[in-house]
Amino acid sequence: MTVDGSTQEPLRILPVGDDPGPTPAETGLEGERLRELYRLMAFVRAADAEATALQRQGELAVYPPLLGQEAAQVGSAFALDPDDWVFPGFRDMGPALVRGIDLAEYLDFDRTIWHGGSYDPVAHRFAPQCVPVASQILHAVGYAIGTKLDRRPSAVLTYFGDGATSEGAFHEGCNFAGVFGAPVVLFCQNNQWAISVPLDHQTHGAIAGKAAAYGFPGVRVDGNDVLAVHRATAEALARARHEGVPTLIEAVTYRLGPHSTADDPTRYRSAEEVARWEARDPIRRYRRWLGAAGVAGEAFFDAVEEAARALAEDLRGKVTASRPHPVEDLFAWVYAEIPESLARQRDEAVRLAAEGAAGAGEGGRRG
Amino acid sequence: MAVRDFLLPDLGEGLEDAEVARWLVAEGDRVERNQPLAELNTAKALVEVPSPYAGVVVRRHAAEGELVKVGAPLVSIEEGAEGKASGDGASAGPARPAVLIGSGPTGAGETVRPRVGAEVRPHGGPDRGPVPASPPIRRLAKELGVDLRAVTGTGPGGRVTREDVTGAAAGTRAAAPAAPAATGAGAGPRVARAMPVRGTRRIIAERLTRSVREIPQATTFLTLDATILEAYRREVGAEAGRPLGPLPVLVRALAGICGTFPELNASFEAGRGEIVLYADVNVGIATDTDRGLVIPVVRGAGDRGVLDVAAEIARLAEAARDGTIAPADLAGATITVTNVGSFGAEFGTPVIDPPQAAILALGAVAPRPLVVDGAVVARPAATLGLTFDHRVLDGAEAGRALAALVEILQDPFKLGALPR
Amino acid sequence: MAELTMAGALNAALRDAMRGDARTIVLGEDVGRLGGVFRVTDGLLSEFGGERVIDTPLAEGGIAGVSIGLALAGWHPVAEMQFDAFSYPALDQLISHAAHYRFRTRGRMTVPLVVRIPYGGAIHAAESHSDSPEAYYAHTAGLKVVVPSSPADAYGLLRAAVADPDPVIFLEPKSRYWTRGEVEPGAGAEPIGRATIVRPGQDCTVVAYGAMIARALGAAEAAAKEGISVEVLDLRSLVPLDLEALAASVRRTGHAVVVHEAQMTGGFGAEIVARLVEDAFDYLEAPVARVTGYDTPYPPSSLEDHWLPSADRILAAVERVVAY
């Protein structure tokens, strides 16, 4: 028995082997836009590597690397309009970079400076990072319904992974999106592994195929093909904005690194498998095409590499300079107006902090 | 350039240590930032640790196979001069200790800072736990000065009732305010203010409660004809060039009496079944201050001259009143004197400061009608009250001691014999 | 003055709120065409249309999550959970998101959401239709928890909840839906966070909320015949809690009995008792008693009369406490 969608060939634009692939004109993107896609992917990779190193050096509490998913993240976010909203998960620094978010403010989440990150979500139309898997899908759908009620021609895009498609919130989100014609794009980065559980333990069917049951298109795309991802997302966003048709996109990609810096993927998957996917590296693949198609040359790639290094350097400086907020901040945004009992607790915490009584004892951090 | 210690961060979530599986650099090697230094085995994963600094490895702090604690140095690196500008002014070492921000058992918050202020004393006595009584009854007992442990509860399960407390107050204190007769809920007296008992007040309350509870004490009085004493202190004061009050003279004389009546300068040690007599006479001087009663100690009063005692009392009183007194000046009294006359009282029935055996109250020195040679004449006089621990000495002995003290203070020769 | 049932008062509050604010919308299962299983949203669909009175798919987690998204988009959703025990699938959204969004974004994104939940027993219902889930919500920092006991309060407090900038869990005592009471037409919002003395007394305070107020008043009436003067304090709002009113009443009476129909262990009554110990310890003439549902699952309703705090059980507790 074949399950609908499970064997659907993913949308692909970039060549896999020696095939020359499309001409630049066939991509529908101008040269500068094509180069920008590369630049963004290279930047994300450098920032991701720096963040991983910063965690190993004690500057971040934890970090979920996105290595290998640059095309899926950058290609999709690159298709957004400025007015569109993004509801991310927690492994989505790529879209954050594309949206112009200061990555140190993004990483303040992982530095445990503040939940969700320190960036202004409203200014960037980029919701705070969200940990409970799939729960953000419902916010995106609700936001999209609200947008539709307001008759605003903009869309909402939400990121999640293959593991999220097992959650009730995913199915409820799809269902609400379908029923209400929410202008939303449900973007699944199928990176094959939910920590240690492989896709075939996550679902017996196909991810993109699930959309059929909810009455809207499901699109399978090569998630390591930045042009294909971009095209699929742009089309989905247009359907959302103009027709009120949601789309489920399954970007087939691979998480080359651990689930997080606290994970050890060698316990659950083979080096051969990782090597197979390393061979499909989305950045090398795109670079090869850019060069072959004459869109960019070595000088460009060298300049990007240099700029990426500077970006990582700058990121390191900002991350390590980021400091915890004063303890009274804990109480400032629980409610619009602080209740009496909470004010009592705040006063105690502030007093103890002033006395230096909190945070360290003998043998503790300051010891 | 500076040598930087790279302290092992928590590489997982809440890990405590890691084992060096393999060094990837040797001492003396030049490393770039983010160059892998070592592979570490944590409880969760094999992890490659990149260098936070560019420079030369000057020390590896553990051998392969050794455990490194989170927060301990893993490697020391001398930041190289020739490396490209690291631009990490802000990252001059982890801002925090090596343990990761918000992650890992740092011990922070688990240790208790040294407490300042009074030590916490358990409320229950050594013999039994708290007496059953509802909170308002406890408050009432406190207000009326009733020790709940001395009250037999007549309520269910031996609970102390309002009547028990008011009854006890009426029985032990004739002057206690009449207890409210009404017993219904909410029918008690209207409360103007309830003040928490803290600090000095609490310490005094606890010590004196213990005194009254544990020490069977009695007070004996004698009136002192202070004519000679007044003349003596004026004369000595004039010679010394500073006024001399009656208190230092009394203290010095009392110290002498303690040689004759050692039970005054003693303590009853119930736990050991002993009466301990002290060789030193350390006289506590009850002193009224803004913070309440403070009792500084004149040490070795028996070995001091009268003027020395006077100077010491002055020094102690000043320190007590401005709050600068050293704890050592407040400890070790073997007997206490309270000058109730200093605020005009004619006499006092002082309460012993445990574990001492006696306390002497000096009433105001003022002209009083005394019978001298069969005639009533006005003389400067003062009443001395000596409260003593009846377990240590009996009334006769205490009376004799007080009489001997008065005799010294009334006798010009004996007074004159006191070392000045 | 108009005499309304509580359901009618809630309906009026929603209607008035929606008339006053075009961004207030109602959503939930059966809230449109049917007007809600308790008819609280009756007639709203015809007045405000399907874009503002939205029948949703049958998924409470989805209703909560989508409502959060709507609130983030600038709408003021009033979501209905059909019954108390059906709200549990929504806990993830309410706890991890509705309650945290303001905090997580340092005030830049907020969730002005009302979640209406008919709660409590005594309606002879089948399983999962009679729970009292207030403690789960009250324990969650960032949520407000409001429980009216009368039609007038239902109206005023729901108006306040809809206008509130924070997420409010609005628990409606479903056994009181059809009880009539005076409601001022067009009365405004009743501030959230203030308890009210529904019957003054001197000897003992009965602290209660929601459906238990009626039973507390019954017990107070019976106590009065025995010469015990009982004060009944209606908390109305569990979060924020009116600490001042709570302590003031018990400082006056010296005795307290706390009543709720939720199970005892870890119930909101424990919080009330703790506050009394902290704020009124010196005035407590007797231990504070709790009269609550027993620590069993909500019973089959053929046994619910044994399980729910009755006026008799409350009275017995009052007598015990006063005679202490």
Short mmCIF file of all heavy atoms in Angstrom, two decimals, chain A residues 50 53 55-62 111-112 261-262 264 313 316-317 320-324 355 357 359 361-362 365, chain B residues 6 9 11 13 33-34 44-48 50-52 86 90-91 94-97 100-101 106 108 111-113:
data_model
loop_
_atom_site.label_atom_id
_atom_site.label_comp_id
_atom_site.label_asym_id
_atom_site.label_seq_id
_atom_site.Cartn_x
_atom_site.Cartn_y
_atom_site.Cartn_z
N GLU A 50 29.77 29.53 15.52
CA GLU A 50 30.25 30.34 16.64
C GLU A 50 29.41 30.06 17.89
O GLU A 50 29.93 29.96 19.00
CB GLU A 50 30.19 31.83 16.27
CG GLU A 50 30.99 32.73 17.18
CD GLU A 50 32.50 32.47 17.07
OE1 GLU A 50 32.95 32.01 16.01
OE2 GLU A 50 33.21 32.73 18.06
N ALA A 53 30.44 26.85 19.43
CA ALA A 53 31.70 27.02 20.16
C ALA A 53 31.47 27.78 21.46
O ALA A 53 32.01 27.43 22.51
CB ALA A 53 32.72 27.75 19.29
N GLN A 55 28.93 27.77 23.27
CA GLN A 55 28.37 26.87 24.28
C GLN A 55 29.47 26.01 24.89
O GLN A 55 29.53 25.84 26.10
CB GLN A 55 27.28 25.99 23.65
CG GLN A 55 26.39 25.29 24.68
CD GLN A 55 27.05 24.08 25.34
OE1 GLN A 55 27.90 23.43 24.77
NE2 GLN A 55 26.63 23.80 26.57
N ARG A 56 30.37 25.51 24.07
CA ARG A 56 31.46 24.66 24.58
C ARG A 56 32.39 25.44 25.50
O ARG A 56 33.15 24.88 26.26
CB ARG A 56 32.27 24.10 23.41
CG ARG A 56 31.50 23.18 22.49
CD ARG A 56 31.22 21.85 23.14
NE ARG A 56 30.52 20.94 22.26
CZ ARG A 56 29.34 20.38 22.57
NH1 ARG A 56 28.75 20.65 23.72
NH2 ARG A 56 28.77 19.54 21.74
N GLN A 57 32.36 26.76 25.34
CA GLN A 57 33.24 27.61 26.14
C GLN A 57 32.51 28.22 27.34
O GLN A 57 33.04 29.07 28.02
CB GLN A 57 33.84 28.70 25.25
CG GLN A 57 34.80 28.09 24.22
CD GLN A 57 35.00 28.95 23.00
OE1 GLN A 57 34.41 30.03 22.89
NE2 GLN A 57 35.81 28.47 22.07
N GLY A 58 31.29 27.77 27.55
CA GLY A 58 30.58 28.20 28.76
C GLY A 58 29.82 29.49 28.62
O GLY A 58 29.32 30.01 29.61
N GLU A 59 29.73 30.02 27.41
CA GLU A 59 29.05 31.30 27.25
C GLU A 59 27.56 31.16 26.94
O GLU A 59 26.80 32.11 27.08
CB GLU A 59 29.72 32.14 26.16
CG GLU A 59 31.18 32.50 26.47
CD GLU A 59 31.32 33.51 27.61
OE1 GLU A 59 30.29 34.03 28.07
OE2 GLU A 59 32.46 33.75 28.05
N LEU A 60 27.15 30.00 26.46
CA LEU A 60 25.73 29.72 26.27
C LEU A 60 25.39 28.48 27.08
O LEU A 60 26.20 27.56 27.20
CB LEU A 60 25.40 29.45 24.79
CG LEU A 60 25.69 30.58 23.79
CD1 LEU A 60 25.35 30.12 22.37
CD2 LEU A 60 24.89 31.83 24.14
N ALA A 61 24.21 28.47 27.63
CA ALA A 61 23.82 27.32 28.46
C ALA A 61 23.61 26.09 27.60
O ALA A 61 23.95 24.98 27.98
CB ALA A 61 22.54 27.64 29.22
N VAL A 62 23.04 26.33 26.44
CA VAL A 62 22.73 25.23 25.55
C VAL A 62 22.55 25.88 24.19
O VAL A 62 22.27 27.08 24.09
CB VAL A 62 21.45 24.51 26.01
CG1 VAL A 62 20.22 25.40 25.88
CG2 VAL A 62 21.23 23.20 25.26
N ARG A 111 21.64 31.93 26.10
CA ARG A 111 22.51 32.39 27.17
C ARG A 111 21.71 32.52 28.47
O ARG A 111 22.22 32.91 29.51
CB ARG A 111 23.14 33.74 26.79
CG ARG A 111 24.30 34.18 27.67
CD ARG A 111 24.99 35.40 27.07
NE ARG A 111 25.89 36.09 27.99
CZ ARG A 111 27.13 35.71 28.25
NH1 ARG A 111 27.61 34.63 27.68
NH2 ARG A 111 27.88 36.39 29.09
N THR A 112 20.42 32.24 28.37
CA THR A 112 19.46 32.33 29.48
C THR A 112 19.41 33.73 30.06
O THR A 112 19.24 33.92 31.25
CB THR A 112 19.73 31.30 30.61
OG1 THR A 112 20.91 31.65 31.31
CG2 THR A 112 19.82 29.89 30.07
N THR A 261 23.53 20.98 22.09
CA THR A 261 24.88 20.76 22.58
C THR A 261 24.91 19.76 23.73
O THR A 261 25.98 19.35 24.15
CB THR A 261 25.48 22.10 23.03
OG1 THR A 261 24.50 22.80 23.79
CG2 THR A 261 25.88 22.94 21.83
N ALA A 262 23.76 19.37 24.24
CA ALA A 262 23.72 18.37 25.31
C ALA A 262 23.48 16.97 24.75
O ALA A 262 23.29 16.03 25.51
CB ALA A 262 22.63 18.73 26.32
N ASP A 264 24.26 13.60 22.06
CA ASP A 264 25.33 12.83 21.43
C ASP A 264 24.74 11.95 20.34
O ASP A 264 24.29 10.84 20.59
CB ASP A 264 26.04 11.97 22.47
CG ASP A 264 27.20 11.18 21.85
OD1 ASP A 264 27.43 11.32 20.63
OD2 ASP A 264 27.86 10.45 22.60
N GLU A 313 32.82 37.02 14.70
CA GLU A 313 33.64 37.74 15.68
C GLU A 313 32.78 38.76 16.44
O GLU A 313 32.82 38.87 17.66
CB GLU A 313 34.76 38.46 14.93
CG GLU A 313 35.87 38.98 15.79
CD GLU A 313 36.68 37.85 16.40
OE1 GLU A 313 36.96 36.86 15.71
OE2 GLU A 313 37.02 37.96 17.58
N ARG A 316 30.40 37.02 18.78
CA ARG A 316 31.07 36.59 20.02
C ARG A 316 31.19 37.75 21.00
O ARG A 316 30.88 37.61 22.19
CB ARG A 316 32.46 36.04 19.69
CG ARG A 316 33.38 35.89 20.89
CD ARG A 316 34.69 35.24 20.51
NE ARG A 316 34.48 33.87 20.11
CZ ARG A 316 34.58 32.82 20.94
NH1 ARG A 316 34.92 33.02 22.20
NH2 ARG A 316 34.34 31.60 20.51
N GLY A 317 31.60 38.90 20.50
CA GLY A 317 31.75 40.05 21.37
C GLY A 317 30.43 40.44 22.02
O GLY A 317 30.37 40.69 23.22
N THR A 320 29.14 37.61 24.57
CA THR A 320 29.86 37.52 25.84
C THR A 320 29.68 38.79 26.67
O THR A 320 29.91 38.78 27.87
CB THR A 320 31.36 37.26 25.62
OG1 THR A 320 31.87 38.27 24.74
CG2 THR A 320 31.59 35.90 24.99
N ALA A 321 29.27 39.87 26.03
CA ALA A 321 29.04 41.11 26.79
C ALA A 321 27.63 41.17 27.37
O ALA A 321 27.32 42.04 28.18
CB ALA A 321 29.26 42.32 25.88
N SER A 322 26.79 40.24 26.97
CA SER A 322 25.40 40.29 27.42
C SER A 322 25.29 39.86 28.87
O SER A 322 25.86 38.85 29.27
CB SER A 322 24.53 39.38 26.53
OG SER A 322 23.19 39.47 26.93
N ARG A 323 24.59 40.65 29.65
CA ARG A 323 24.54 40.43 31.10
C ARG A 323 23.10 40.22 31.58
O ARG A 323 22.17 40.74 30.97
CB ARG A 323 25.12 41.64 31.83
CG ARG A 323 26.63 41.80 31.64
CD ARG A 323 27.37 40.69 32.38
NE ARG A 323 28.81 40.76 32.16
CZ ARG A 323 29.46 40.18 31.14
NH1 ARG A 323 28.77 39.51 30.24
NH2 ARG A 323 30.75 40.26 31.02
N PRO A 324 22.95 39.50 32.68
CA PRO A 324 21.60 39.30 33.21
C PRO A 324 20.92 40.61 33.58
O PRO A 324 21.58 41.60 33.90
CB PRO A 324 21.83 38.45 34.47
CG PRO A 324 23.17 37.84 34.29
CD PRO A 324 23.97 38.80 33.46
N GLU A 355 21.43 43.04 49.25
CA GLU A 355 22.30 42.59 50.34
C GLU A 355 23.33 41.58 49.85
O GLU A 355 24.14 41.07 50.62
CB GLU A 355 21.46 41.95 51.45
CG GLU A 355 20.62 42.95 52.23
CD GLU A 355 19.64 42.28 53.17
OE1 GLU A 355 19.70 41.04 53.30
OE2 GLU A 355 18.82 42.99 53.78
N ALA A 357 22.69 38.65 48.99
CA ALA A 357 22.39 37.37 49.61
C ALA A 357 21.94 36.32 48.61
O ALA A 357 21.91 35.16 48.91
CB ALA A 357 21.31 37.54 50.67
N GLY A 359 22.08 34.29 44.88
CA GLY A 359 22.92 33.96 43.74
C GLY A 359 24.22 33.27 44.08
O GLY A 359 24.78 32.60 43.25
N GLY A 361 26.72 31.53 47.42
CA GLY A 361 27.10 31.33 48.81
C GLY A 361 28.52 30.85 48.83
O GLY A 361 29.20 30.85 47.81
N GLU A 362 29.02 30.41 49.99
CA GLU A 362 30.39 29.92 50.05
C GLU A 362 30.54 28.78 49.07
O GLU A 362 29.69 27.90 49.00
CB GLU A 362 30.75 29.41 51.45
CG GLU A 362 30.71 30.47 52.49
CD GLU A 362 29.42 30.40 53.27
OE1 GLU A 362 28.34 30.20 52.67
OE2 GLU A 362 29.51 30.52 54.47
N ARG A 365 29.22 30.53 43.08
CA ARG A 365 29.79 31.16 41.90
C ARG A 365 30.84 32.21 42.23
O ARG A 365 31.85 32.31 41.57
CB ARG A 365 28.69 31.83 41.10
CG ARG A 365 27.75 30.82 40.56
CD ARG A 365 26.66 31.52 39.82
NE ARG A 365 25.78 30.52 39.24
CZ ARG A 365 24.93 30.79 38.30
NH1 ARG A 365 24.85 32.01 37.82
NH2 ARG A 365 24.16 29.86 37.82
N PHE B 6 41.14 28.43 31.08
CA PHE B 6 39.83 28.07 30.54
C PHE B 6 39.21 27.09 31.53
O PHE B 6 39.68 25.96 31.69
CB PHE B 6 40.00 27.44 29.15
CG PHE B 6 38.72 26.94 28.53
CD1 PHE B 6 37.49 27.53 28.83
CD2 PHE B 6 38.73 25.89 27.63
CE1 PHE B 6 36.32 27.08 28.26
CE2 PHE B 6 37.56 25.42 27.05
CZ PHE B 6 36.35 26.02 27.36
N PRO B 9 33.38 24.38 31.32
CA PRO B 9 31.96 24.70 31.44
C PRO B 9 31.13 23.43 31.54
O PRO B 9 31.61 22.33 31.28
CB PRO B 9 31.65 25.44 30.13
CG PRO B 9 32.66 24.95 29.17
CD PRO B 9 33.86 24.45 29.93
N LEU B 11 29.01 21.13 29.96
CA LEU B 11 28.83 20.85 28.53
C LEU B 11 27.50 20.22 28.21
O LEU B 11 27.10 20.11 27.07
CB LEU B 11 29.97 19.94 28.05
CG LEU B 11 31.35 20.59 28.19
CD1 LEU B 11 32.44 19.55 28.16
CD2 LEU B 11 31.55 21.63 27.10
N GLU B 13 23.61 19.42 30.38
CA GLU B 13 22.63 20.16 31.15
C GLU B 13 22.70 19.64 32.57
O GLU B 13 22.17 18.58 32.87
CB GLU B 13 21.24 20.01 30.55
CG GLU B 13 21.10 20.78 29.25
CD GLU B 13 19.94 20.32 28.39
OE1 GLU B 13 19.70 19.10 28.30
OE2 GLU B 13 19.29 21.17 27.81
N ARG B 33 41.55 30.64 18.09
CA ARG B 33 40.27 30.57 18.79
C ARG B 33 39.36 29.59 18.07
O ARG B 33 39.35 29.51 16.84
CB ARG B 33 39.60 31.92 18.89
CG ARG B 33 38.36 31.76 19.76
CD ARG B 33 37.88 32.98 20.40
NE ARG B 33 37.53 33.94 19.39
CZ ARG B 33 37.76 35.23 19.53
NH1 ARG B 33 38.33 35.67 20.62
NH2 ARG B 33 37.41 36.06 18.60
N ASN B 34 38.60 28.86 18.86
CA ASN B 34 37.67 27.84 18.38
C ASN B 34 38.36 26.60 17.82
O ASN B 34 37.71 25.71 17.30
CB ASN B 34 36.67 28.40 17.36
CG ASN B 34 35.68 29.36 18.01
OD1 ASN B 34 35.61 29.42 19.25
ND2 ASN B 34 34.94 30.10 17.22
N LYS B 44 26.97 12.40 29.30
CA LYS B 44 25.98 12.31 28.24
C LYS B 44 26.58 12.11 26.86
O LYS B 44 25.94 11.53 25.99
CB LYS B 44 25.11 13.57 28.23
CG LYS B 44 24.24 13.71 29.46
CD LYS B 44 23.51 15.02 29.49
CE LYS B 44 22.34 15.06 28.55
NZ LYS B 44 21.49 16.23 28.77
N ALA B 45 27.77 12.62 26.64
CA ALA B 45 28.26 12.61 25.26
C ALA B 45 29.77 12.79 25.21
O ALA B 45 30.39 13.25 26.17
CB ALA B 45 27.60 13.74 24.47
N LEU B 46 30.34 12.41 24.05
CA LEU B 46 31.73 12.72 23.76
C LEU B 46 31.71 14.07 23.05
O LEU B 46 31.07 14.23 22.01
CB LEU B 46 32.33 11.65 22.85
CG LEU B 46 33.82 11.82 22.54
CD1 LEU B 46 34.66 11.63 23.79
CD2 LEU B 46 34.26 10.83 21.46
N VAL B 47 32.42 15.05 23.63
CA VAL B 47 32.28 16.42 23.16
C VAL B 47 33.65 17.00 22.86
O VAL B 47 34.59 16.83 23.62
CB VAL B 47 31.59 17.26 24.27
CG1 VAL B 47 31.67 18.73 23.93
CG2 VAL B 47 30.15 16.83 24.45
N GLU B 48 33.74 17.68 21.73
CA GLU B 48 34.97 18.37 21.37
C GLU B 48 34.88 19.79 21.92
O GLU B 48 33.91 20.49 21.66
CB GLU B 48 35.07 18.41 19.85
CG GLU B 48 36.48 18.40 19.33
CD GLU B 48 36.48 18.32 17.81
OE1 GLU B 48 36.00 19.30 17.19
OE2 GLU B 48 36.91 17.30 17.27
N PRO B 50 36.24 23.55 21.98
CA PRO B 50 37.06 24.51 21.25
C PRO B 50 37.66 25.56 22.18
O PRO B 50 37.09 25.87 23.22
CB PRO B 50 36.07 25.16 20.28
CG PRO B 50 34.75 25.07 20.99
CD PRO B 50 34.81 23.90 21.94
N SER B 51 38.78 26.11 21.77
CA SER B 51 39.46 27.10 22.61
C SER B 51 38.76 28.45 22.55
O SER B 51 38.45 28.93 21.47
CB SER B 51 40.90 27.28 22.14
OG SER B 51 41.48 28.33 22.89
N PRO B 52 38.54 29.06 23.69
CA PRO B 52 37.96 30.42 23.67
C PRO B 52 39.03 31.47 23.39
O PRO B 52 38.69 32.63 23.18
CB PRO B 52 37.39 30.59 25.08
CG PRO B 52 38.14 29.62 25.94
CD PRO B 52 38.66 28.53 25.06
N SER B 86 41.82 39.79 18.74
CA SER B 86 40.73 38.89 19.12
C SER B 86 39.44 39.66 19.30
O SER B 86 38.38 39.09 19.22
CB SER B 86 41.08 38.16 20.40
OG SER B 86 41.50 39.09 21.36
N ALA B 90 35.12 42.24 25.55
CA ALA B 90 34.02 41.89 26.43
C ALA B 90 34.12 40.46 26.92
O ALA B 90 33.58 40.12 27.94
CB ALA B 90 32.70 42.09 25.70
N SER B 91 34.86 39.65 26.18
CA SER B 91 34.87 38.25 26.57
C SER B 91 36.12 37.91 27.34
O SER B 91 36.63 36.81 27.26
CB SER B 91 34.76 37.36 25.34
OG SER B 91 35.98 37.39 24.62
N PRO B 94 35.21 34.14 30.99
CA PRO B 94 33.77 34.03 31.18
C PRO B 94 33.33 35.08 32.20
O PRO B 94 33.97 35.24 33.23
CB PRO B 94 33.58 32.62 31.71
CG PRO B 94 34.80 31.88 31.29
CD PRO B 94 35.90 32.90 31.22
N ALA B 95 32.28 35.79 31.86
CA ALA B 95 31.78 36.82 32.76
C ALA B 95 31.41 36.19 34.08
O ALA B 95 31.52 36.77 35.13
CB ALA B 95 30.55 37.44 32.16
N ARG B 96 30.93 35.00 33.97
CA ARG B 96 30.55 34.27 35.15
C ARG B 96 31.63 33.26 35.37
O ARG B 96 32.47 33.02 34.55
CB ARG B 96 29.26 33.53 34.91
CG ARG B 96 28.11 34.47 34.90
CD ARG B 96 27.10 33.93 33.97
NE ARG B 96 27.17 34.78 32.82
CZ ARG B 96 26.16 35.49 32.41
NH1 ARG B 96 25.03 35.40 33.03
NH2 ARG B 96 26.28 36.28 31.40
N PRO B 97 31.57 32.62 36.43
CA PRO B 97 32.40 31.47 36.67
C PRO B 97 32.14 30.47 35.57
O PRO B 97 31.18 30.61 34.83
CB PRO B 97 31.86 30.96 37.97
CG PRO B 97 30.58 31.70 38.15
CD PRO B 97 30.66 32.93 37.35
N LEU B 100 28.09 27.09 33.37
CA LEU B 100 27.25 27.78 32.41
C LEU B 100 26.15 28.56 33.05
O LEU B 100 25.60 28.19 34.04
CB LEU B 100 26.62 26.75 31.52
CG LEU B 100 27.60 26.38 30.46
CD1 LEU B 100 27.02 25.32 29.63
CD2 LEU B 100 27.89 27.60 29.65
N ILE B 101 25.87 29.61 32.33
CA ILE B 101 24.79 30.47 32.74
C ILE B 101 23.53 29.66 32.91
O ILE B 101 23.10 28.99 31.98
CB ILE B 101 24.54 31.54 31.67
CG1 ILE B 101 25.83 32.22 31.32
CG2 ILE B 101 23.51 32.52 32.09
CD1 ILE B 101 26.50 31.76 30.11
N THR B 106 25.65 24.66 40.49
CA THR B 106 26.73 25.53 40.88
C THR B 106 26.90 25.58 42.38
O THR B 106 27.87 26.07 42.87
CB THR B 106 26.44 26.95 40.42
OG1 THR B 106 25.25 27.37 41.11
CG2 THR B 106 26.21 27.01 38.93
N ALA B 108 25.19 27.54 43.86
CA ALA B 108 24.65 28.85 44.16
C ALA B 108 23.27 28.70 44.76
O ALA B 108 22.46 27.94 44.28
CB ALA B 108 24.55 29.67 42.88
N THR B 111 24.00 27.29 49.51
CA THR B 111 24.72 27.53 50.74
C THR B 111 24.06 28.67 51.48
O THR B 111 23.38 29.50 50.91
CB THR B 111 26.18 27.89 50.46
OG1 THR B 111 26.19 28.86 49.42
CG2 THR B 111 26.95 26.67 50.02
N VAL B 112 24.30 28.71 52.75
CA VAL B 112 23.66 29.72 53.58
C VAL B 112 24.71 30.71 54.00
O VAL B 112 25.78 30.34 54.47
CB VAL B 112 23.04 29.06 54.81
CG1 VAL B 112 22.44 30.10 55.72
CG2 VAL B 112 21.98 28.05 54.37
N ARG B 113 24.43 31.98 53.79
CA ARG B 113 25.41 32.99 54.18
C ARG B 113 25.46 33.04 55.70
O ARG B 113 24.50 32.71 56.37
CB ARG B 113 25.02 34.34 53.60
CG ARG B 113 23.82 34.93 54.27
CD ARG B 113 23.28 36.09 53.47
NE ARG B 113 21.89 36.28 53.80
CZ ARG B 113 21.40 37.40 54.33
NH1 ARG B 113 22.17 38.40 54.56
NH2 ARG B 113 20.12 37.49 54.60
#
